Amino acid sequence: MSPKEKEIVAYHESGHALVAMLLPDTDPVSKISIIPRGIAALGYTQQLPTEDRYLMTRDELLDRLQVLLAGRVSEEVIFGDISTGAQNDLQRASDIARSMVMEYGMSARLGLLTYTRQPQSRYLDLGLGSGEREYSERTAQEIDEEKSRIIDEAHQKVLLKLKDYRSFLEKLARILLEKESIEGDDLKQFAEEVRIRAAAAGEQAPAESSL
Amino acid sequence: MSPKEKEIVAYHESGHALVAMLLPDTDPVSKISIIPRGIAALGYTQQLPTEDRYLMTRDELLDRLQVLLAGRVSEEVIFGDISTGAQNDLQRASDIARSMVMEYGMSARLGLLTYTRQPQSRYLDLGLGSGEREYSERTAQEIDEEKSRIIDEAHQKVLLKLKDYRSFLEKLARILLEKESIEGDDLKQFAEEVRIRAAAAGEQAPAESSL
Amino acid sequence: MSPKEKEIVAYHESGHALVAMLLPDTDPVSKISIIPRGIAALGYTQQLPTEDRYLMTRDELLDRLQVLLAGRVSEEVIFGDISTGAQNDLQRASDIARSMVMEYGMSARLGLLTYTRQPQSRYLDLGLGSGEREYSERTAQEIDEEKSRIIDEAHQKVLLKLKDYRSFLEKLARILLEKESIEGDDLKQFAEEVRIRAAAAGEQAPAESSL
Amino acid sequence: MSPKEKEIVAYHESGHALVAMLLPDTDPVSKISIIPRGIAALGYTQQLPTEDRYLMTRDELLDRLQVLLAGRVSEEVIFGDISTGAQNDLQRASDIARSMVMEYGMSARLGLLTYTRQPQSRYLDLGLGSGEREYSERTAQEIDEEKSRIIDEAHQKVLLKLKDYRSFLEKLARILLEKESIEGDDLKQFAEEVRIRAAAAGEQAPAESSL
Amino acid sequence: MSPKEKEIVAYHESGHALVAMLLPDTDPVSKISIIPRGIAALGYTQQLPTEDRYLMTRDELLDRLQVLLAGRVSEEVIFGDISTGAQNDLQRASDIARSMVMEYGMSARLGLLTYTRQPQSRYLDLGLGSGEREYSERTAQEIDEEKSRIIDEAHQKVLLKLKDYRSFLEKLARILLEKESIEGDDLKQFAEEVRIRAAAAGEQAPAESSL
Amino acid sequence: MSPKEKEIVAYHESGHALVAMLLPDTDPVSKISIIPRGIAALGYTQQLPTEDRYLMTRDELLDRLQVLLAGRVSEEVIFGDISTGAQNDLQRASDIARSMVMEYGMSARLGLLTYTRQPQSRYLDLGLGSGEREYSERTAQEIDEEKSRIIDEAHQKVLLKLKDYRSFLEKLARILLEKESIEGDDLKQFAEEVRIRAAAAGEQAPAESSL
């Protein structure tokens, strides 16, 4: 990995971590690393869930979207250029937006209808008929617009956060470039600094997940 | 399961049960539980059919839709946030709306035409040709609009009921959070209280299924 | 089967039978029964063909449509609610309307073109290419409109007949609910009464099939 | 087969035969029969090609269309009702119209482009990609309109011919109903009468195929 | 083959050959024959490439289109009727037009984008997803319009050429009908006459391929 | 290969190489050859990456597009005619544009949504449902427009560069036609001349990749 690539990865992971710290309902960040683990993972940000989860609320899904997009947005804020490294994050974010609109009834505009087939019936059908979406083009357009709206709103929120907290972003990236990974007390202390600044600004401070 | 999740489940199941009690043509509620049975069922509301059923009328299907949606709507009313826990309910409600419009000729707008293929011919065809819907985009749009209308009307009715009977909803959820399940005389007594309030309000009271 | 379901079935079958009696070109009704034969057949109306048939004319197909829809329409007239019991009738009626428009050249608007693939070529193709309809969306829309028109016109005709002959419908249903089935002289006598009333009204009386 | 069905078949086959006699470029009619040969062929009109054919011109294809449609149109002219017996004729006529427009470049509007896939490439592809038509909806609409125009024009021409020559149609059908089949000198004499009438009217008389 | 068919074939092949002679960048015609070689080839025009070819330019492809269409256009010019014999030529011409627009980036309107899938990825995918074109209906329409424009322009050019050189067309067809095939010096002499006439008219004369 | 084809290939490869030299963020050109290596590669331009790459930025992808298109554009500039030899380049350029818009979230208009399926889910699904794009026609149109815009902008930039540096293009092609391949010091010296001219013109000079 070139120094330039390492720098991109450092800011990418710092973006994920910082936005996670700024969202109280996401799992706490336990480790950040830019030591590559194979070609598919040039770095990672680990969020340890505080408990097993069986349900996700809409607000939690929206927070998760922000964390997923934050890697890409950090590149955008810092370099004014963006890389292919966000592909997997964007795919996962798109899948969440898709499920919110098509499976979980979380778009007021589409209402409580679902637009996917029941998995069990797919097997019974041997795939017959599943090659064709059943809903109309107009509904497909509304689904697209809702998915776009959800992703765009999350994008805007993350952009504001990272511009606001740019100094923290740069500090975290510098630590990563120097030490390659951060966890434990070092990470907790950094998160505490973010929390203090957020509290001072009257913003949502990171807290124990209250759900 | 976290306390927050348990609370969501309690209100979700209470929603199903309360709306079933308020609809005279649905099967009586025999048990409500928030003791998880595997990951797919964090809780359940049991309606014991009073007799074997061979036919369902349109009114009965519309009632069943209300009961299915009531779990989600209860979350909406109580928490102002909604969870992924309603996914299966919404899928089943969508399937009913789909069948009413496309198979049972129960939408005046689409008339007595069916829009599905005969199962038997599908097997003869070995799936040839079943990859393509035969009806036009305009018909697909009308089908979408009719399914939406059916689900939206049921949504509105359930919303009104649960806001009206919010105190009962909260009482039932509290019982569930305390005891984890309710059945037998306790449940009958609660249903009787609902019935008295409904009768006083001149509304449809739960009754023996008259069909 | 509940008493309510039995009543629905009795009126459903009486609808089929009465409309068949009022259409001179359909096969004569030889037996009506509401004794269930498995879950798929809660009742049946038997029309014995007077001879083997190799051709059907458009008028005969339109009469057959009326007989098929009459079960559902009878529920509509008597109960103001409709049941899932008509699903198979509606599927068969839709298939006839579809064939009239797409295979038999019986819609003046679509003309003498057929819109289905030759079965033999499907097997040669191993299904390649049969996943896609070849005609345009506008043609698909015209096909939908013609199918709807055919079914809706049959629906209206049956509705008028059953409202006009409601007393016969009720009488036949009462006999069925009492005796569970009717055939032979009892049925012939009932059909004769229908014929006399129809003749008096200057309407088409049931007659030997003249085709 | 009922007498009514036999009458329909007689007029159907007489229609085919008479129009073939009135079109000089079609193969001469060698036998007409209404003796059923299995369920799929209630009657037939045999045209013996005077020579092996390797090419068909547009005019010959248009004549063949008229002969194919003439069975159905004869039912329309004589009975004012039409039967399912024309299904195979209509399918074959539609296939010819389809090939003229999509494979043979015989529609000026669609020009010399073909709209079908090369058979050989289909096998190479193992059917991949053949599930989707490649041309646009607008082209699909133009193809539909051209096919309709070709079939409708043939329909109108046959209708005029059969109304004009109704007495010949009735005479031929009467012979068939009496003798069940006609060939040899009897058929030649009938064809000669048609030819004389057509010559007198200054119309195209049946002649040796000049192609 | 009937005399009429033989005449059609003679003019068809003469059309191919004459247009090839009038286009300097196509391979020289080495033999023309109307001796049938099986049902699929009633005649043929042989163009021997002067060298192995690895690249084709747009102008060469457009010339090849003219040669392919010239058989059909010759029938049109001479008989005012057209035959099914051009089917394979039209298919090949359509495939070239399709490739120019969709694979070779040779339509300014569609630009340098390609609209086909990479063959290698198709095998990796096991055909998954290849049942659906990825581009929009509007793009499909532009592709259709570009293919039509390319074919129509070639059609017009050939029509002008064959009307202009009709006497040569008739002479070549007469030779073919008499001798059944022409090659060697006889063919060279005929081509030379065409060249002289074209040179006199200031038109492009056949020349050694300069590419 | 004919002399004409060799000339086309020489200009094609010179186009690739010259544009690569004019773009500082692309890998340096290490060898150019017009010695054919099988039918699929009539020539090649080798760019040796200076290091292993794990990420590509948007700017790097846009540069790569210019290099890919430069072969075709060189033919356009020099000959005014274009060949089939660019097919593979155009396919690869289209794939990059497609990925930028649909997978990498690099089109502001389409936003951070992805429009492809997750590979892993495709295998789980056994291809069920992957035969149908899930997004709407309007989105498909926006994707097409964005891909076109990206390719067209790259096309215009390359056209300007090659017209500006036409003398270098001609010089490089002449060297290739003479020596068939160029590498090492000869190539470095040529690239240095390009760099000097570009620096004089105040344009981007080739430099060590700064990423």
Side-chain angles (χ1 to χ4, degrees), chain F residues 5-60:
Chain F
E5 284 176 322
K6 214 153 192 72
E7 201 185 346
I8 292 174
V9 174
Y11 273 100
H12 186 106
E13 297 304 327
S14 298
H16 285 314
L18 184 56
V19 168
M21 290 170 187
L22 287 164
L23 289 167
D25 289 340
T26 59
D27 295 317
V29 178
S30 56
K31 185 175 179 182
I32 320 171
S33 164
I34 60 168
I35 306 167
R37 295 189 299 185
I39 192 157
L42 305 177
Y44 61 90
T45 298
Q46 199 175 66
Q47 286 181 275
L48 276 195
T50 48
E51 55 196 353
D52 283 349
R53 297 299 307 276
Y54 301 94
L55 296 173
M56 293 286 288
T57 68
R58 185 177 48 194
D59 289 348
E60 289 168 328

Side-chain angles (χ1 to χ4, degrees), chain C residues 54 103-104 138-139 211, chain D residues 4-5 72 87 144-145:
Chain C
Y54 300 93
E103 291 178 51
Y104 301 149
R138 197 169 74 180
T139 298
L211 198 81
Chain D
K4 179 66 189 173
E5 284 177 321
R72 152 61 61 94
Q87 181 178 8
D144 281 0
E145 288 167 4

Side-chain angles (χ1 to χ4, degrees), chain D residues 14-59:
Chain D
S14 296
H16 284 314
L18 183 57
V19 167
M21 291 169 187
L22 286 164
L23 289 167
D25 289 341
T26 58
D27 296 316
V29 177
S30 55
K31 185 176 178 182
I32 319 170
S33 164
I34 59 168
I35 305 167
R37 295 188 302 185
I39 191 157
L42 305 177
Y44 62 89
T45 298
Q46 198 175 65
Q47 285 182 278
L48 277 196
T50 47
E51 54 196 353
D52 282 349
R53 296 299 305 275
Y54 301 94
L55 297 173
M56 292 287 289
T57 68
R58 186 178 47 194
D59 289 348

Side-chain angles (χ1 to χ4, degrees), chain F residues 84-145:
Chain F
T84 55
Q87 181 178 7
N88 189 40
D89 296 338
L90 303 186
Q91 177 74 60
R92 286 166 65 198
S94 295
D95 284 350
I96 289 174
R98 178 189 177 283
S99 291
M100 291 177 69
V101 176
M102 296 179 76
E103 290 177 51
Y104 301 149
M106 289 182 177
S107 151
R109 185 164 169 207
L110 271 303
L112 297 186
L113 270 176
T114 60
Y115 295 93
T116 51
R117 314 248 171 162
Q118 274 187 298
Q120 62 265 40
S121 71
R122 283 216 294 225
Y123 290 99
L124 274 173
D125 275 353
L126 290 169
L128 307 184
S130 42
E132 172 68 20
R133 72 179 188 215
E134 208 175 78
Y135 48 85
S136 67
E137 166 65 14
R138 198 168 75 180
T139 297
Q141 203 171 298
E142 288 179 346
I143 289 170
D144 281 1
E145 287 167 4

